[in-house]
């Protein structure tokens, strides 16, 4: 059942369907240095919702990512991610040593969908950020290249409700860290009942 769910992610729409929901993210933080010393553990909430930016853009899906420590508090907006088919030609990238080989036509390169990749794009802190979903390995790679920081997330889809995560974060102001753990989809019907019982 797990493999069927992973292989069902084949286009922007099914990628959006999979990511949409409320997730609990548990991470262990370590120093990204020689000793990889333990720093802390964190638990947070990630909410991902579908958001249609334009009715004319039928080949892509937009997702709003929001973050917080608990569902009892207002979640902080993170970014809107655009998911689309990755276009390009493998030959134009890999055959650089083929001397005398005729270059592929520009129209063929720009219009050919890369069958194994989905492209991810968003803005964060005024910078354009990019990433990919690699279908054969079921991994999302998110790169935040900012003015004073470089952050890379890798999410691996384990099953329909679970992703494993690795994050490397290096910036000017904080200890460089490597973070790893998992993200599990919350069953909101059950979770809402728990929240209500806590309030009472």
């Amino acid at each position: 059942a797990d493999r069927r769910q992973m292989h069902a992610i084949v286009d922007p729409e099914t990628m959006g369907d999979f990511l949409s929901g409320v997730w609990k993210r548990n991470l262990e933080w370590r120093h990204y240095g020689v000793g990889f010393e333990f720093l802390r553990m964190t638990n947070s909430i990630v909410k991902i919702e579908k958001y249609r930016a334009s009715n004319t853009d039928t080949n892509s899906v937009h997702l709003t990512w929001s973050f917080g420590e608990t569902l009892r508090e207002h979640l902080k907006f993170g970014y809107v991610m655009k998911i689309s088919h990755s276009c390009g030609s493998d030959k134009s990238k890999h055959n650089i040593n083929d001397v005398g080989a005729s270059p592929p036509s520009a129209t063929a390169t720009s219009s050919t969908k890369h069958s194994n990749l989905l492209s991810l794009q968003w803005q964060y802190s005024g910078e354009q950020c990019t990433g990919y979903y690699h279908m054969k390995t079921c991994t999302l790679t998110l790169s935040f290249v900012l003015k004073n920081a470089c952050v890379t997330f890798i999410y691996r889809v384990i099953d329909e409700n679970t992703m494993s995560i690795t994050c490397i974060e290096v910036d000017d102001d904080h200890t460089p860290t490597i973070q790893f753990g998992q993200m599990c989809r919350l069953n909101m019907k059950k979770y809402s009942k728990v929240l209500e019982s806590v309030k009472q």
Side-chain angles (χ1 to χ4, degrees):
D2 297 345
R3 300 304 300 179
R4 282 200 302 270
Q5 172 65 30
M6 288 187 280
H7 291 156
I9 302 174
V10 295
D11 55 27
E13 194 69 34
T14 50
M15 182 81 258
D17 290 341
F18 170 76
L19 288 175
S20 295
V22 180
W23 301 77
K24 182 85 168 176
R25 187 165 70 180
N26 305 307
L27 295 175
E28 178 176 330
W29 297 53
R30 289 182 174 268
H31 178 228
Y32 189 50
V34 176
F36 291 92
E37 297 90 354
F38 173 82
L39 297 174
R40 60 188 175 275
M41 302 287 293
T42 58
N43 298 306
S44 59
I45 296 292
V46 181
K47 187 175 185 180
I48 305 173
E49 299 174 286
K50 279 194 177 182
Y51 167 78
R52 287 286 182 189
S54 170
N55 292 330
T56 59
D57 191 2
T58 57
N59 294 319
S60 63
V61 169
H62 295 77
L63 300 176
T64 301
W65 291 59
S66 302
F67 303 88
E69 292 185 9
T70 172
L71 281 174
R72 297 191 198 98
E73 301 171 2
H74 179 71
L75 299 180
K76 183 180 178 182
F77 170 78
Y79 43 84
V80 175
M81 176 183 287
K82 178 182 178 181
I83 304 176
S84 56
H85 285 283
S86 181
C87 296
S89 169
D90 286 341
K91 291 182 179 180
S92 64
K93 295 178 182 177
H94 299 299
N95 292 351
I96 56 175
N97 294 323
D98 292 351
V99 179
S102 58
S105 67
T107 54
T109 301
S110 61
S111 62
T112 304
K113 289 180 181 176
H114 196 303
S115 61
N116 196 36
L117 290 177
L118 295 177
S119 174
L120 316 173
Q121 295 178 322
W122 66 97
Q123 282 200 346
Y124 188 81
S125 292
E127 300 291 335
Q128 184 68 34
C129 302
T130 59
Y132 290 98
Y133 175 70
H134 191 271
M135 294 183 199
K136 287 187 178 178
T137 59
C138 302
T139 54
L140 286 138
T141 302
L142 278 57
S143 296
F144 297 74
V145 181
L146 311 175
K147 290 180 180 177
N148 298 312
C150 185
V151 185
T152 302
F153 280 93
I154 298 179
Y155 295 82
R156 178 174 173 242
V157 178
I158 302 299
D159 58 42
E160 62 180 329
N161 296 312
T162 315
M163 291 187 283
S164 58
I165 315 168
T166 301
C167 172
I168 294 174
E169 184 171 356
V170 180
D171 65 36
D172 281 349
D173 301 324
H174 303 93
T175 301
T177 61
I178 180 168
Q179 306 151 33
F180 56 91
Q182 63 182 1
M183 208 154 93
C184 299
R185 190 190 309 275
L186 290 178
N187 182 324
M188 290 311 297
K189 289 183 179 179
K190 292 182 179 179
Y191 199 76
S192 297
K193 291 179 181 178
V194 172
L195 288 178
E196 286 300 319
S197 65
V198 169
K199 289 178 183 178
Q200 295 171 2

